[in-house]
Amino acid sequence: MFSLSSMLIPAILFFALGFFAQLVRSDLKFPPDLTKALSIYLLVGIGLHGGMELAKVDPAGAIGAVVAAVGLGLGLPVIAYLILLLAVRIDRLNAAAIAAHYGSVSAGTFVTAIAFLESLKVPYESQPVIMLAIMESPAIIIGLVLANMARRGNGNGHDKRVSRELVHDAFTNGSVVLLLGSMLIGAIAQPAGLNKILPFYETMFMGVLSLFLLDMGMEASRRIGDFGKVGPSLLVFGIAMPLLGGAIGLAVGHWVLGFGVGGTLLVAVLAASASYIAVPPAMRLAIPEASPALFLTLSLGVTFPFNIVLGIPLYFGAAQWLASQ
Amino acid sequence: MFSLSSMLIPAILFFALGFFAQLVRSDLKFPPDLTKALSIYLLVGIGLHGGMELAKVDPAGAIGAVVAAVGLGLGLPVIAYLILLLAVRIDRLNAAAIAAHYGSVSAGTFVTAIAFLESLKVPYESQPVIMLAIMESPAIIIGLVLANMARRGNGNGHDKRVSRELVHDAFTNGSVVLLLGSMLIGAIAQPAGLNKILPFYETMFMGVLSLFLLDMGMEASRRIGDFGKVGPSLLVFGIAMPLLGGAIGLAVGHWVLGFGVGGTLLVAVLAASASYIAVPPAMRLAIPEASPALFLTLSLGVTFPFNIVLGIPLYFGAAQWLASQ
Amino acid sequence: MFSLSSMLIPAILFFALGFFAQLVRSDLKFPPDLTKALSIYLLVGIGLHGGMELAKVDPAGAIGAVVAAVGLGLGLPVIAYLILLLAVRIDRLNAAAIAAHYGSVSAGTFVTAIAFLESLKVPYESQPVIMLAIMESPAIIIGLVLANMARRGNGNGHDKRVSRELVHDAFTNGSVVLLLGSMLIGAIAQPAGLNKILPFYETMFMGVLSLFLLDMGMEASRRIGDFGKVGPSLLVFGIAMPLLGGAIGLAVGHWVLGFGVGGTLLVAVLAASASYIAVPPAMRLAIPEASPALFLTLSLGVTFPFNIVLGIPLYFGAAQWLASQ
Amino acid sequence: MKPVKRIEIVIEEIELENVIDELDRIGVVGYTIVPRAGGRGERGVRYESVQGLGNVLMTIACDEQQAARVIEVIRPILKRYGGVCLVSDAMWVIHDS
Amino acid sequence: MKPVKRIEIVIEEIELENVIDELDRIGVVGYTIVPRAGGRGERGVRYESVQGLGNVLMTIACDEQQAARVIEVIRPILKRYGGVCLVSDAMWVIHDS
Amino acid sequence: MKPVKRIEIVIEEIELENVIDELDRIGVVGYTIVPRAGGRGERGVRYESVQGLGNVLMTIACDEQQAARVIEVIRPILKRYGGVCLVSDAMWVIHDS
Ligand SMILES: Nc1ncnc2c1ncn2[C@@H]1O[C@H](COP(=O)(O)O)[C@@H](O)[C@H]1O
Ligand SMILES: Nc1ncnc2c1ncn2[C@@H]1O[C@H](COP(=O)(O)O)[C@@H](O)[C@H]1O
Ligand SMILES: Nc1ncnc2c1ncn2[C@@H]1O[C@H](COP(=O)(O)O)[C@@H](O)[C@H]1O
Ligand code: NA
Ligand code: NA
Ligand code: NA
């Protein structure tokens, strides 16, 4: 059963510690290369684990997840874009840039949800990992399309080149390659060899995640300084959008994909989370007119901590409720 | 039983290897970010372990340790300062800067002492970890006070600002936040979650420590070039002061806190060791007139290797002798 | 039994993933400090393991391996040099620089061969680790001698100084110090202490190796851009030389040292592999006239991937055949 | 020694590849890069972090004609993405004279 | 292009925050920072290491008036903690002209 | 402020020790080092990687006489190993005046 004590999992506590450290302006600082190293490790770890699980499953069963992932990746940024234009009323280019972030996903949030499920000993489906890998890309393309629409008329010579570059990046960016590549390795490598590397990638996983979240807590907290630039209605968007995305994800996970509580939570988290790794540089290239202070503050400073601390338990409660109907 | 072979623990041997590598001017070099990453890991590991142990103990039992830590943290730098002024006869500002280092502690030495105890299978109390966290701060304040006293008259406009900054740093510096934060997490996190992260923080701990000490061996050895600047009487201080601190620590551990051999050794090591992480930048800010070549060479080049190689076994022998009385 | 599936070990697959990532111009990039950290870990891990194994063996049995290592280290670069001069027909200075790389060894290839053997559960002798440590040095000296011979007449003022520096580097470079030092620690440290650090150095080893090879796959792939500068005959050399070296290594391992299949494979890999860590900077210092684009592309871009993917299974097949005679 | 222009450019990491392509196009071979720089300008603070949106410092020594061409290709990039380009005079110590 | 002063400052990492506060106070917005630099001066060698006492290189492009104010606030910090400040002339490639 | 020469040197990491020894020999105390730089020149691309063959950026502020001596000892190293040395004019903000 779920209770407040389930929030006392180390992953969340370490995130809170990092957030606090930065809040009191401690001189604690992770070297940026350490952050990158931890990300690489986590992505490979998720991929390997997912690939091994998927190898056990009927491959046809994964097709639904793939379709759902593409659908969410294309649909969510459009929804976000419309809300930003019509309700929040910001300009089209910033709206496009922010929307792309919400169509994509946060691997850190995804893994924290897994830590949450494991601490409650709730089982979960293996397909969401493929969805994680897939959902990185379409949102970048949609962001580009929205921006080009917004910009139509005031054409810019660089555009074609940048567009080609971005479509390339969308499918070859580091996270996608690491996730898909290590899923493949997890699926095809011979078991004796895999068993030799699992002590590193599985036994250590939750510990490394705690260190990563300590660091991300600091990163998130560092963004608070820009809340003023973001303004109240966008801040509200940063919480409303994951709630809406989470609801859509719950529906997709429960009804469309027929997942149990665990898998449904993970789909909700995919839909609710916003990218802060692959999409920011892509949007910076694609829409230089958009302000990084806006999209980074929203994805990293608002939505990410919201999901880690409140979103995950909330979506979990909802997934339980759905399952009990 | 203690014998020479107890010095052949990997922690000490790796320290010696690093020392040797730098001595023969090998091009071996750890990236500075790796050093930082290892420190972060070790501090979180110590904290988590300590927090879990403390949660099992009567909280009232920790109060004595807290008081003793504050006492040592305030008393030791004053003793060091007087010795430096009256016996070594160096100027007041350098004396204040050096004294602050000896009031604080070296987490690396502390953990090596734990490795030493574990290799001998000697149990130890859990309270010294809180003392480790606490003793980082008071020495910085005392250093500042001593410097301000020394400087009285030739006032400097920056002082107030710097003082405020330093008091803030004393309580929020990275080591303190990591140690206290992860102690708290170790104490309150739900056990299922903790068990998932322990393979990373406990099973790996001694291995990571060996790598850290390999690096610190190189750092220590690199300081030998400055022995000339330090001069013979300060070098003697660098060995005499840990001996005196160690004796005071032994007394406090054995008689005041009533610890067994293990806990007494750890208190001795806290008192005997000098900071080379938190205090140097603080003293550089507080007392720019003081020479980093002096305080870094003493704490990192003299006292640290002395404690690792000779001090720990010596204090341990003394703790055994006290216990056998 | 050996089959194609034995190539599906994670080590090789991760190498292929890295190679592929760079080929499709993914933005995936390991921070250079991470690469260095992984190398340090692997060298210490190999050394410790080797030292523990060697401590069990009759020390006299190691003498043969030492002599064979020095012999290979001195002989292979001379053979490579003659081939480069007479068959490939490049200038003497480039020939000397390239030859030195082939006399030395690649620890990454060596460890991949160990992963290969372990996945097939084939036992192997412990002496090749000493050979790995020893073979780093002589090739550097030979490279220097060959270059000085080539340069005789058009003397250069710096030479003496550089020579002294290089002889020093040959025996104190980081890889040598780490390997020999941790072999010694593995051999003499008390077992209780060693057992505490083995979870880090042994249990994690194959996982860390997979990450390292992911990175090296990218490094190797990055060199393809210089294939044009290298030209077809040198590229052929980059594959022919490991085949020749491998054959010599097989002969030395099987007949001279009397090793089983496992040990014979490892000696073959030592002889077949080319250094890309210790030798390149040494040759850059020693023979600035030589082009790094040539020696790095050959050792890192041609011979390394060839050995990882094709060479190891090939030498293994040959070692099996020899053993079955 | 030979008088040259010393061009110093601060751009975002993600534009580096683009800038190098432009240099190739106009035949500028030499440059030096300092990665992982931070900074602040009209577009706010840029610090090295997970997002790879930190700065890169590029220095190019070249003759006056080349400098003019470098500036020409850099300007639209600066206009689009921000950044700074400073040009100053220096003497290049030629190896052989 | 516009003529500017190029100010180049080498200070210890720990003073960076302080210097930025001073720049804020006098209204200087733009600067570029190269972290993790080493060096040697009157106060001995400074190398990047555990102690966080390494150097940081800061470059500021600004007009002559601002330069005078920057120098004014930097001087006491240099005096107290050491370091170097060099000022030279450069042309700033303005985005739009 | 005092007029000085600002010498900027790009060399390979492995030659740094050598260059510092030469500076010691001619009595030049102060320098600043930015490690881990990349670049491209006549000898191709140099990027920071496992091989430790990346670039290092060294800046030396000194008077004209010292500058001449620095150039003299640097030139043969540049000739042998490649790299760049630029000399420009700057004003050094002296701490006390
Ligand atoms: N006045 C300046 N002096 C030095 N660097 C600057 C200046 N203005 C901007 N920069 C650098 O250029 C980057 C982009 O500037 P901006 O496009 O103005 O935001 C900043 O992050 C700084 O690194
Ligand atoms: N003449 C110089 N040229 C270049 N950098 C210098 C010079 N003198 C000092 N520095 C830099 O300024 C830092 C502090 O110098 P100092 O306060 O003289 O010890 C040194 O660590 C160097 O990085
Ligand atoms: N024109 C240039 N401008 C700036 N840096 C250069 C230039 N030429 C060479 N360099 C730097 O000097 C290094 C060695 O150059 P080279 O010896 O010409 O290959 C390169 O890797 C660059 O970092
Ligand atoms: Na999403
Ligand atoms: Na102490
Ligand atoms: Na070889």
Side-chain angles (χ1 to χ4, degrees):
Chain A
M1 243 316 289
F2 172 71
S3 77
L4 194 91
S5 88
S6 67
M7 283 184 54
L8 295 181
I9 64 170
I12 297 175
L13 293 171
F14 273 101
F15 182 84
L17 176 58
F19 204 91
F20 171 81
Q22 181 63 26
L23 220 56
V24 299
R25 305 213 302 125
S26 165
D27 68 348
L28 180 61
K29 218 166 59 189
F30 273 43
D33 284 0
L34 177 55
T35 314
K36 279 172 205 154
L38 296 173
S39 304
I40 291 171
Y41 168 91
L42 291 174
L43 288 169
V44 174
I46 304 171
L48 271 182
H49 183 82
M52 289 169 63
E53 293 299 318
L54 280 168
K56 299 180 195 155
V57 166
D58 178 19
I63 292 176
V66 170
V67 173
V70 174
L72 287 170
L74 297 175
L76 285 169
V78 174
I79 296 174
Y81 183 69
L82 292 175
I83 295 177
L84 287 164
L85 275 197
L86 305 177
V88 186
R89 293 174 171 279
I90 62 169
D91 66 290
R92 283 153 172 260
L93 290 173
N94 270 306
I98 296 171
H101 287 74
Y102 284 86
S104 186
V105 289
S106 147
T109 313
F110 184 80
V111 180
T112 307
I114 287 181
F116 181 88
L117 289 173
E118 299 211 336
S119 85
L120 293 175
K121 304 207 163 52
V122 175
Y124 50 91
E125 280 78 7
S126 55
Q127 290 92 330
V129 180
I130 322 183
M131 302 178 67
L132 172 69
I134 288 171
M135 285 178 70
E136 295 266 4
S137 317
I140 295 178
I141 310 285
I142 292 287
L144 186 63
V145 171
L146 293 174
N148 282 343
M149 279 166 52
R151 214 186 265 126
R152 198 181 296 159
N154 61 328
N156 184 314
H158 275 271
D159 270 9
K160 269 224 179 101
R161 178 205 183 115
V162 167
S163 298
R164 234 179 311 119
E165 211 174 310
L166 269 163
V167 174
H168 176 263
D169 285 3
F171 294 104
T172 64
N173 83 66
S175 312
V176 171
V177 168
L178 280 181
L179 272 174
L180 290 180
S182 43
M183 274 172 62
L184 190 69
I185 293 176
I188 67 169
Q190 37 133 305
L194 278 176
N195 285 335
K196 294 261 177 200
I197 67 171
L198 288 187
F200 179 61
Y201 287 114
E202 290 215 331
T203 321
M204 303 292 93
F205 193 83
M206 288 299 161
V208 175
L209 173 65
S210 70
L211 218 48
F212 177 75
L213 287 173
L214 174 56
D215 187 20
M216 294 314 295
M218 290 190 277
E219 282 283 348
S221 185
R222 215 165 272 146
R223 296 288 158 185
I224 290 180
D226 280 341
F227 273 21
K229 284 189 203 158
V230 171
S233 41
L234 261 182
L235 291 177
V236 169
F237 172 84
I239 289 174
M241 187 62 212
L243 287 173
L244 177 58
I248 295 173
L250 284 167
V252 170
H254 183 68
W255 284 301
V256 179
L257 296 169
F259 288 164
V261 172
T264 301
L265 170 64
L266 294 181
V267 179
V269 162
L270 288 174
S273 67
S275 169
Y276 47 80
I277 301 218
V279 179
M283 284 306 110
R284 177 78 187 119
L285 266 183
I287 319 180
E289 303 88 340
S291 159
L294 296 193
F295 57 69
L296 279 177
T297 305
L298 281 178
S299 73
L300 194 52
V302 181
T303 300
F304 181 55
F306 171 76
N307 277 329
I308 295 288
V309 178
L310 297 176
I312 292 174
L314 200 70
Y315 313 142
F316 180 72
Q320 279 185 314
W321 180 82
L322 279 177
S324 71
Q325 290 312 80
Chain B
M1 242 315 291
F2 171 71
S3 75
L4 193 91
S5 87
S6 67
M7 283 184 54
L8 295 181
I9 64 172
I12 297 177
L13 292 171
F14 274 101
F15 181 84
L17 176 57
F19 204 91
F20 171 80
Q22 181 62 28
L23 221 55
V24 299
R25 305 212 302 125
S26 165
D27 68 348
L28 180 62
K29 218 164 60 190
F30 274 43
D33 284 0
L34 176 57
T35 314
K36 280 173 205 151
L38 296 174
S39 303
I40 290 171
Y41 168 91
L42 291 174
L43 288 169
V44 174
I46 304 172
L48 272 180
H49 183 83
M52 290 170 62
E53 293 298 317
L54 279 168
K56 299 179 196 158
V57 166
D58 177 19
I63 292 175
V66 170
V67 173
V70 175
L72 287 171
L74 297 175
L76 285 168
V78 173
I79 295 173
Y81 184 69
L82 293 175
I83 294 176
L84 286 164
L85 275 195
L86 305 178
V88 185
R89 293 173 170 279
I90 62 168
D91 65 291
R92 281 151 174 262
L93 291 173
N94 271 306
I98 296 170
H101 287 73
Y102 284 85
S104 186
V105 289
S106 148
T109 313
F110 184 79
V111 181
T112 307
I114 287 180
F116 181 89
L117 289 173
E118 299 210 335
S119 84
L120 292 174
K121 304 205 161 55
V122 175
Y124 52 92
E125 280 77 8
S126 56
Q127 291 93 329
V129 179
I130 323 181
M131 302 177 68
L132 172 70
I134 288 171
M135 284 177 71
E136 295 266 3
S137 316
I140 294 178
I141 311 286
I142 291 287
L144 187 62
V145 170
L146 293 175
N148 282 345
M149 279 168 49
R151 214 186 267 125
R152 196 180 298 159
N154 59 327
N156 185 313
H158 274 270
D159 270 7
K160 270 227 181 96
R161 177 204 184 116
V162 167
S163 298
R164 234 180 310 119
E165 211 174 309
L166 269 163
V167 174
H168 176 263
D169 285 4
F171 294 104
T172 65
N173 81 69
S175 312
V176 171
V177 168
L178 279 181
L179 272 173
L180 290 180
S182 43
M183 274 172 61
L184 191 69
I185 293 176
I188 68 171
Q190 37 133 303
L194 277 177
N195 284 336
K196 293 262 178 199
I197 66 172
L198 288 187
F200 179 62
Y201 287 114
E202 289 216 332
T203 320
M204 302 293 93
F205 192 83
M206 289 300 161
V208 176
L209 174 64
S210 70
L211 220 47
F212 177 75
L213 286 173
L214 174 56
D215 187 19
M216 295 313 295
M218 290 189 277
E219 282 283 347
S221 185
R222 214 165 273 146
R223 295 290 158 182
I224 290 180
D226 280 342
F227 272 22
K229 284 188 203 158
V230 172
S233 40
L234 262 181
L235 291 177
V236 169
F237 172 85
I239 290 175
M241 187 64 212
L243 287 173
L244 177 58
I248 295 173
L250 285 167
V252 170
H254 182 69
W255 284 301
V256 179
L257 297 169
F259 288 165
V261 171
T264 300
L265 169 64
L266 293 180
V267 178
V269 162
L270 289 173
S273 67
S275 168
Y276 48 79
I277 300 217
V279 179
M283 285 305 111
R284 177 79 186 119
L285 266 183
I287 318 180
E289 302 90 338
S291 159
L294 296 193
F295 56 71
L296 280 177
T297 305
L298 280 178
S299 73
L300 193 52
V302 181
T303 300
F304 181 54
F306 171 76
N307 277 329
I308 296 288
V309 178
L310 297 177
I312 293 175
L314 199 70
Y315 313 143
F316 179 71
Q320 279 186 313
W321 180 82
L322 279 177
S324 70
Q325 289 313 81
Chain C
M1 241 316 289
F2 171 71
S3 75
L4 194 92
S5 87
S6 67
M7 282 185 54
L8 295 180
I9 64 171
I12 296 176
L13 293 170
F14 274 102
F15 181 84
L17 176 58
F19 204 91
F20 171 80
Q22 181 62 27
L23 221 55
V24 299
R25 304 212 304 125
S26 164
D27 68 348
L28 179 62
K29 218 164 60 187
F30 274 44
D33 284 0
L34 176 56
T35 314
K36 280 174 205 152
L38 296 174
S39 304
I40 291 171
Y41 168 91
L42 291 174
L43 289 170
V44 174
I46 305 172
L48 271 181
H49 183 82
M52 289 169 63
E53 293 299 318
L54 279 168
K56 298 179 196 156
V57 166
D58 178 18
I63 291 176
V66 170
V67 173
V70 174
L72 287 170
L74 297 175
L76 285 168
V78 173
I79 295 172
Y81 183 69
L82 292 175
I83 295 176
L84 287 164
L85 276 195
L86 305 178
V88 187
R89 293 176 170 277
I90 61 168
D91 66 290
R92 283 152 174 260
L93 290 173
N94 271 306
I98 295 172
H101 286 75
Y102 284 86
S104 187
V105 289
S106 148
T109 313
F110 184 80
V111 181
T112 307
I114 287 180
F116 181 89
L117 289 173
E118 299 210 336
S119 84
L120 292 174
K121 302 207 164 54
V122 175
Y124 51 90
E125 280 79 7
S126 55
Q127 290 92 330
V129 180
I130 323 182
M131 301 177 69
L132 172 69
I134 287 172
M135 284 177 72
E136 295 266 3
S137 317
I140 295 178
I141 310 285
I142 292 288
L144 187 64
V145 170
L146 292 175
N148 281 344
M149 278 167 51
R151 212 186 268 124
R152 198 180 296 159
N154 60 328
N156 185 314
H158 275 270
D159 269 9
K160 270 228 180 94
R161 178 202 183 118
V162 167
S163 298
R164 234 180 309 119
E165 212 174 309
L166 270 163
V167 174
H168 176 262
D169 285 4
F171 294 104
T172 64
N173 81 68
S175 312
V176 171
V177 167
L178 280 181
L179 273 174
L180 290 180
S182 43
M183 275 173 60
L184 190 69
I185 293 177
I188 68 170
Q190 36 133 306
L194 277 177
N195 285 335
K196 293 262 176 197
I197 66 171
L198 287 188
F200 179 63
Y201 287 113
E202 290 216 330
T203 321
M204 303 293 94
F205 192 83
M206 288 299 160
V208 176
L209 174 65
S210 70
L211 219 48
F212 177 75
L213 286 174
L214 174 56
D215 188 19
M216 295 313 295
M218 291 190 276
E219 284 282 347
S221 187
R222 212 165 275 145
R223 294 290 159 183
I224 290 179
D226 280 342
F227 272 21
K229 282 189 205 158
V230 171
S233 41
L234 261 181
L235 291 177
V236 169
F237 173 84
I239 289 175
M241 187 63 211
L243 288 174
L244 176 59
I248 295 174
L250 286 167
V252 170
H254 182 70
W255 285 301
V256 179
L257 296 170
F259 288 165
V261 171
T264 300
L265 169 64
L266 294 180
V267 179
V269 162
L270 288 174
S273 68
S275 169
Y276 48 79
I277 301 216
V279 180
M283 284 306 111
R284 177 77 186 121
L285 267 183
I287 319 181
E289 302 90 340
S291 159
L294 296 193
F295 56 70
L296 280 177
T297 304
L298 280 179
S299 73
L300 195 52
V302 181
T303 299
F304 181 55
F306 171 75
N307 277 329
I308 295 289
V309 178
L310 297 178
I312 293 175
L314 200 70
Y315 313 142
F316 180 71
Q320 278 185 315
W321 181 81
L322 279 177
S324 70
Q325 290 312 80
Chain D
M1 297 216 286
K2 163 177 112 171
V4 289
K5 290 290 171 187
R6 179 185 178 281
I7 309 178
E8 199 176 5
I9 307 169
V10 180
I11 44 162
E12 252 169 327
E13 224 178 294
I14 46 168
E15 290 135 43
L16 181 59
E17 215 176 312
N18 193 351
V19 169
I20 293 176
D21 287 352
E22 295 288 338
L23 294 181
D24 285 344
R25 216 168 44 80
I26 60 173
V28 168
V29 173
Y31 59 79
T32 296
I33 288 171
V34 175
R36 299 173 223 210
R40 191 171 70 178
E42 290 168 24
R43 287 163 189 74
V45 177
R46 283 190 194 163
Y47 39 94
E48 193 201 344
S49 66
V50 228
Q51 291 77 34
L53 298 179
N55 281 323
V56 157
L57 200 81
M58 185 182 240
T59 308
I60 301 170
C62 58
D63 63 35
E64 203 153 352
Q65 274 189 335
Q66 281 184 308
R69 264 174 298 160
V70 170
I71 292 168
E72 202 179 298
V73 300
I74 286 293
R75 211 194 290 269
I77 298 176
L78 291 180
K79 188 170 179 178
R80 197 165 158 84
Y81 295 106
V84 162
C85 175
L86 301 177
V87 184
S88 55
D89 292 307
M91 298 299 289
W92 188 337
V93 176
I94 304 293
H95 308 171
D96 344 82
S97 58
Chain E
M1 297 216 286
K2 163 178 114 172
V4 289
K5 291 291 172 189
R6 179 183 177 281
I7 309 178
E8 198 175 6
I9 307 168
V10 180
I11 44 162
E12 252 169 329
E13 225 179 291
I14 47 169
E15 289 134 43
L16 181 60
E17 215 177 312
N18 193 352
V19 169
I20 293 176
D21 287 352
E22 294 288 337
L23 294 181
D24 286 343
R25 214 168 47 78
I26 60 173
V28 169
V29 173
Y31 58 80
T32 296
I33 288 171
V34 175
R36 297 173 226 205
R40 191 172 70 179
E42 290 167 24
R43 286 164 190 75
V45 177
R46 284 189 194 163
Y47 40 94
E48 193 200 343
S49 66
V50 228
Q51 290 78 34
L53 297 180
N55 281 323
V56 157
L57 200 80
M58 183 181 243
T59 308
I60 301 171
C62 58
D63 64 34
E64 200 153 355
Q65 274 189 335
Q66 279 184 308
R69 263 175 299 159
V70 170
I71 292 169
E72 202 180 298
V73 300
I74 286 292
R75 210 193 292 267
I77 297 175
L78 292 180
K79 187 169 179 179
R80 199 166 155 83
Y81 295 106
V84 163
C85 175
L86 301 178
V87 184
S88 55
D89 292 306
M91 298 300 289
W92 188 337
V93 176
I94 303 294
H95 309 172
D96 344 82
S97 59
Chain F
M1 297 217 286
K2 166 178 109 171
V4 289
K5 290 291 171 187
R6 179 184 177 280
I7 308 177
E8 200 176 4
I9 307 168
V10 180
I11 43 161
E12 252 170 327
E13 226 178 293
I14 46 168
E15 290 135 42
L16 180 59
E17 213 176 312
N18 193 351
V19 170
I20 294 177
D21 287 352
E22 295 288 337
L23 295 181
D24 285 345
R25 215 168 45 79
I26 60 172
V28 169
V29 174
Y31 58 80
T32 296
I33 288 171
V34 174
R36 297 173 224 206
R40 190 172 72 178
E42 291 167 24
R43 286 163 191 74
V45 177
R46 283 189 193 164
Y47 39 93
E48 194 201 342
S49 66
V50 228
Q51 291 77 35
L53 297 180
N55 280 324
V56 157
L57 200 81
M58 184 182 242
T59 309
I60 301 170
C62 59
D63 63 34
E64 202 153 352
Q65 274 189 335
Q66 280 185 308
R69 263 174 299 160
V70 170
I71 292 168
E72 201 179 301
V73 300
I74 286 292
R75 209 193 291 267
I77 297 175
L78 292 179
K79 188 170 178 177
R80 197 167 158 82
Y81 295 106
V84 162
C85 175
L86 301 178
V87 184
S88 55
D89 292 306
M91 299 299 290
W92 187 337
V93 178
I94 303 294
H95 309 171
D96 344 82
S97 59

